[in-house]
């Protein structure tokens, strides 16, 4: 059927990410009858099985595909990330591409913005740029909170008695 989403490609890297509550409203689109979700990981001209597995885990841990069948996982090798994603779109015959927009440093932001701009300019199917939440994953924030509590206890012990 023309205009129907059949194959949805989620471009993911090995970094965990969280989604804002508003972004989770995308889940009904992913749950459309007959939709196939594919997680694509692009690496720089090297086979990266670990990176692929981490990319799939990151997507699953984000909650984006909760309650849905396990997405297909595909790895692509290309020296240019945007070209690797374009190859993934063609190879998987995707009808929609979802890319993640992370908060980054200024230089990294310029680099990644240019990749996204090239992808938007050359991708033959719609691209949805999904912002990720800025807070740390629970496991990291828990460790940070424990360290902060320990430091606070030490500082209280060092302060003069009143």
């Amino acid at each position: 059927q023309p205009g129907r989403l059949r194959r949805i490609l989620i471009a993911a890297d090995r970094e965990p990410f969280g989604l804002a509550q508003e972004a989770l409203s995308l889940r009904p689109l992913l749950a459309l009858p007959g939709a196939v979700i594919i997680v694509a990981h692009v690496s720089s001209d090297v086979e990266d099985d670990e990176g692929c597995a981490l990319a799939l885990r990151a997507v699953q841990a984000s909650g984006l595909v909760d309650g849905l069948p396990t997405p297909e996982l595909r790895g692509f090798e290309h020296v240019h990330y945007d070209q690797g994603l374009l190859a993934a779109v063609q190879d998987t015959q995707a009808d929609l591409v979802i890319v993640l927009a992370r908060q980054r440093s200024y230089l990294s932001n310029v680099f990644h913005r240019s990749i996204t701009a090239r992808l938007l300019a050359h991708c033959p199917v719609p691209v949805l740029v999904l912002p990720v939440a800025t807070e740390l994953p629970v496991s990291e924030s828990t460790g940070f909170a424990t360290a902060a509590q320990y430091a606070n206890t030490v500082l209280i012990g060092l302060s003069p008695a009143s």
Side-chain angles (χ1 to χ4, degrees), residues 16-69:
F17 63 94
L19 293 172
Q21 195 61 34
E22 299 80 16
L24 292 176
S25 63
L26 176 67
R27 288 184 60 232
L29 175 71
L30 301 175
L32 287 173
V36 174
I37 301 168
I38 305 136
V39 173
H41 173 71
V42 178
S43 58
S44 299
D45 280 341
V46 294
E47 193 169 314
D48 187 10
D49 291 340
E50 181 184 10
C52 284
L54 290 171
L56 178 59
R57 265 188 247 133
V59 170
Q60 291 172 319
S62 75
L64 188 58
V65 295
D66 280 355
L68 300 175

Side-chain angles (χ1 to χ4, degrees), residues 120-142:
L120 290 171
H122 300 289
C123 192
V125 299
V127 177
L128 175 63
V129 180
L130 190 62
V132 299
T134 56
E135 63 266 1
L136 293 173
V138 173
S139 61
E140 291 178 12
S141 60
T142 303

Side-chain angles (χ1 to χ4, degrees), residues 1-157:
Q1 256 178 331
R4 185 167 174 171
L5 293 177
R6 296 172 294 118
R7 302 182 65 76
I8 302 169
L9 182 75
I10 302 173
D13 57 23
R14 50 178 49 230
E15 296 176 44
F17 63 94
L19 293 172
Q21 195 61 34
E22 299 80 16
L24 292 176
S25 63
L26 176 67
R27 288 184 60 232
L29 175 71
L30 301 175
L32 287 173
V36 174
I37 301 168
I38 305 136
V39 173
H41 173 71
V42 178
S43 58
S44 299
D45 280 341
V46 294
E47 193 169 314
D48 187 10
D49 291 340
E50 181 184 10
C52 284
L54 290 171
L56 178 59
R57 265 188 247 133
V59 170
Q60 291 172 319
S62 75
L64 188 58
V65 295
D66 280 355
L68 300 175
T70 301
E72 289 181 22
L73 176 60
R74 302 289 302 275
F76 295 87
E77 299 172 25
H78 205 288
V79 71
H80 298 290
Y81 188 79
D82 57 317
Q83 294 297 314
L85 282 180
L86 290 171
V89 169
Q90 183 176 16
D91 186 63
T92 63
Q93 299 177 344
D95 301 304
L96 173 70
V97 179
I98 299 172
V99 295
L100 307 171
R102 299 178 188 274
Q103 296 243 338
R104 302 189 181 269
S105 69
Y106 175 74
L107 288 176
S108 182
N109 193 30
V110 169
F111 173 73
H112 286 280
R113 190 177 311 148
S114 66
I115 289 175
T116 303
R118 287 193 306 269
L119 181 64
L120 290 171
H122 300 289
C123 192
V125 299
V127 177
L128 175 63
V129 180
L130 190 62
V132 299
T134 56
E135 63 266 1
L136 293 173
V138 173
S139 61
E140 291 178 12
S141 60
T142 303
F144 180 76
T146 304
Q149 290 169 342
Y150 178 75
N152 190 40
T153 303
V154 170
L155 290 174
I156 290 172

